[in-house]
Amino acid sequence: MIELKGIRKQFGSHVVFDDIDLHLERGEIIVIVGPSGTGKSTLLRCINFLETPDAGQLTIGDLSLDATSATREQILALRRRTAFVFQNYALFANKTALQNIAEGMIVVDGIAKREAYARAREILERIGLADKADAYPAALSGGQQQRVGIGRAMAANAEVILFDEPTSSLDPQWVEEVLGLMKQLAAEHQTMIVVTHEMQFAREVADRVVFMDQGRIIEQAPPAELFSHPKDERTQQFLRKILAANVV
Amino acid sequence: MHALDFDYMLGLVPILLGYLPLTLEMAAAGMACALILACLLAVIRVTRLPGLNAFALLFISFFRGTPLLVQLFLFYYGLPQVLTFLVAINGITATILGLTLHFSAYMAESIRAAIVGIDRSQTEAALSIGMTRAQLMRRIVLPQATRVATPTLMNYFIDMIKSTSLAFTLGVTELMGATQKEAAGSFLYFEAFLVVAVIYWIVVEALSWVQKWLEQRLNRAYQR
């Protein structure tokens, strides 16, 4: 179970969001949508303290912490219960695909090298890159790099994987393979929070779609409901715009 | 004008080569100490360690802002007058000390730039999988910073080898000091200094090859 309560973040005097609540059950998949610059990515980054929230409580599984008084150990524990997939992949440039996936298991979880590499190979198999084990990130396509990025998150054995616009930096021809892999994870009931502009993905995969605008959660509902009967005017407007763009 | 005395020059080569080890030893010792000091300074600068950061800035400013020869004279001739226990310092030690302090100031800035230059998103990725700051530095940042800084550091090493020739002004008979003595005995200054110039040149060229090889090795991971 994941619970966010009263999360606030501000940069200087600019308040990105205030008093955000969000609740997820284990195995649930939620997709956050909304206009750019509305605080979706910042919210995601607050969940694993890549950004330090200015107020609020976070609960992930049996770990509960307060934003204002979180200790270094608590933050580390929180990060070990979550995994993050970055828009720009953020692979370790000095490590091969296999090493990128195994790194966390070896360094963070203290798993013996042999076993970590064996598990990393299994993950490479699952993400369809078994033949790229020894390739460095520079030699991989964008789609392949992002699949390794997802593989690295899978290796963390996290309670939740946070996806920050995972397909936004990709050339169009690589988007499908990345979304396909995410669907595969969804089918295995991996808990995920996904920030994306891929409405089709939200419609197909999400258990719940959360619409954010100007630092607020405006409404949240199962995709069928939110996409066909949006209640709030701002949601309707956003959907009209983005669906019109998708048709073109 | 007289013709070049080739026999004299050939005879000089083995004599001067006998002093090459001392030159290389001073450079190697200076480089090793400078690297350690430079890494410390760079980490202090990157982490802005309170108190020490100001000291590091002052240190770097002074040792980059004054000539190496002045620094060597200061350590060898000047300091022992103030700090009397330093009277025992010999020319070789003073040279290594001077090279260390002087070059560490330059090298600290290259290392700092290399660390700062590592893509910030890799730092976030490492933190996101639960690495500590120390693990992040050791496993992700420093290996990549080493690659970025190596060509520059090799250039400083080459520069350092040539700078050891200043040791002769502290009375050390190294490659340059030996040449000076030989030339003073034979009056064949042009021949003697030509020979020593070629010796330095060959040593530096050999190092340039090592540098190229090293860069290729370090770049292997980044080839498309």
Side-chain angles (χ1 to χ4, degrees):
Chain A
M1 185 205 64
I2 293 148
E3 177 103 52
L4 280 66
K5 252 188 137 62
I7 302 291
R8 186 178 82 223
K9 178 69 192 172
Q10 56 188 76
F11 294 113
S13 63
H14 171 66
V15 178
V16 186
F17 44 73
D18 193 4
D19 205 19
I20 293 271
D21 294 342
L22 194 65
H23 178 96
L24 261 89
E25 288 302 328
R26 180 187 268 281
E28 201 177 3
I29 293 150
I30 73 167
V31 172
I32 304 178
V33 301
S36 300
T38 214
K40 308 184 297 286
S41 291
T42 308
L43 178 62
L44 209 60
R45 292 162 61 83
C46 279
I47 297 178
N48 74 347
F49 271 66
L50 280 184
E51 303 287 353
T52 309
D54 294 305
Q57 265 106 44
L58 263 162
T59 305
I60 295 187
D62 55 357
L63 176 80
S64 231
L65 57 84
D66 191 282
T68 47
S69 63
T71 63
R72 194 184 291 218
E73 285 71 31
Q74 281 181 318
I75 293 172
L76 218 52
L78 178 75
R79 286 181 177 151
R80 288 171 184 183
R81 284 171 166 75
T82 57
F84 205 95
V85 175
F86 294 83
Q87 180 177 346
N88 65 353
Y89 336 127
L91 297 185
F92 305 132
N94 58 332
K95 305 208 172 280
T96 63
L98 185 74
Q99 289 168 339
N100 262 280
I101 293 171
E103 181 72 7
M105 293 192 274
I106 296 168
V107 179
V108 177
D109 306 328
I111 296 172
K113 251 187 189 164
R114 253 186 110 92
E115 199 193 333
Y117 281 135
R119 286 199 215 171
R121 276 186 202 285
E122 280 171 32
I123 290 174
L124 276 174
E125 199 83 48
R126 283 170 65 196
I127 63 177
L129 290 174
D131 56 328
K132 296 290 185 191
D134 298 322
Y136 285 94
L140 298 173
S141 75
Q144 291 168 337
Q145 286 189 58
Q146 190 57 299
R147 278 148 71 198
V148 173
I150 294 173
R152 180 173 62 188
M154 289 159 69
N157 227 338
E159 302 213 13
V160 57
I161 302 183
L162 312 166
F163 292 82
D164 186 14
E165 305 206 20
T167 57
S168 297
S169 296
L170 290 173
D171 286 336
Q173 77 253 40
W174 311 127
V175 171
E176 270 319 308
E177 65 183 54
V178 170
L179 291 179
L181 175 57
M182 290 167 65
K183 285 177 194 169
Q184 189 183 315
L185 281 179
E188 294 163 12
H189 301 291
Q190 166 70 52
T191 317
M192 357 202 276
I193 305 179
V194 184
V195 170
T196 185
H197 294 290
E198 295 287 339
M199 293 302 142
Q200 192 55 37
F201 175 82
R203 212 189 278 267
E204 277 178 49
V205 177
D207 294 312
R208 180 155 42 108
V209 178
V210 174
F211 174 68
M212 267 181 86
D213 190 20
Q214 297 185 337
R216 304 198 160 277
I217 292 180
I218 305 296
E219 64 178 290
Q220 40 183 320
E225 197 180 317
L226 189 117
F227 283 117
S228 27
H229 305 292
K231 291 195 191 78
D232 195 279
E233 163 127 30
R234 282 165 289 187
T235 320
Q236 294 163 3
Q237 230 175 33
F238 171 75
L239 288 175
R240 260 201 306 278
K241 253 189 227 157
I242 200 147
L243 294 178
N246 277 359
V247 170
V248 177
Chain B
M1 204 177 126
H2 68 91
L4 278 182
D5 190 338
F6 282 109
D7 287 342
Y8 172 73
M9 287 167 73
L10 279 177
L12 206 52
V13 171
I15 299 172
L16 293 187
L17 282 182
Y19 294 92
L20 183 60
L22 178 59
T23 287
L24 294 180
E25 279 160 24
M26 286 193 295
M31 187 68 184
C33 298
L35 262 180
I36 294 169
L37 186 55
C39 283
L40 283 175
L41 288 167
V43 170
I44 290 171
R45 294 274 288 112
V46 170
T47 55
R48 301 218 172 88
L49 228 59
L52 284 178
N53 190 36
F55 169 78
L57 276 172
L58 184 69
F59 178 95
I60 291 168
S61 170
F62 178 77
F63 284 103
R64 286 211 304 183
T66 52
L68 176 57
L69 187 60
V70 173
Q71 292 164 17
L72 289 176
F73 278 29
L74 201 58
F75 293 135
Y76 187 66
Y77 297 114
L79 267 190
Q81 294 188 336
V82 190
L83 307 169
T84 39
F85 63 90
L86 281 177
V87 171
I89 197 172
N90 67 32
I92 293 174
T93 312
T95 303
I96 294 171
L97 181 67
L99 291 174
T100 297
L101 299 180
H102 184 79
F103 280 91
S104 68
Y106 283 96
M107 285 161 41
E109 287 301 273
S110 319
I111 294 172
R112 185 185 72 86
I115 290 175
V116 172
I118 304 300
D119 182 12
R120 185 157 165 72
S121 69
Q122 290 187 48
T123 297
E124 293 194 335
L127 294 178
S128 82
I129 57 174
M131 279 197 210
T132 61
R133 292 250 159 215
Q135 288 169 336
L136 156 72
M137 270 287 158
R138 209 179 62 238
R139 309 272 312 185
I140 308 298
V141 175
L142 288 182
Q144 293 184 62
T146 305
R147 165 185 162 266
V148 176
T150 295
T152 327
L153 296 181
M154 281 296 287
N155 281 343
Y156 285 131
F157 183 47
I158 286 172
D159 205 0
M160 198 184 277
I161 290 177
K162 293 183 291 179
S163 298
T164 56
S165 59
L166 292 176
F168 106 94
T169 61
L170 308 187
V172 180
T173 311
E174 40 64 71
L175 197 48
M176 183 63 190
T179 311
Q180 170 71 20
K181 280 184 186 158
E182 290 295 328
S186 64
F187 295 108
L188 293 171
Y189 288 102
F190 186 73
E191 280 86 345
F193 290 126
L194 189 58
V195 169
V196 81
V198 171
I199 291 176
Y200 277 117
W201 190 12
I202 290 173
V203 169
V204 169
E205 269 307 297
L207 263 172
S208 304
W209 279 101
V210 174
Q211 185 177 14
K212 261 194 208 125
W213 172 83
L214 204 62
E215 276 173 45
Q216 268 166 11
R217 245 191 87 91
L218 287 168
N219 279 335
R220 263 198 314 221
Y222 303 84
Q223 249 103 57
R224 276 166 198 280

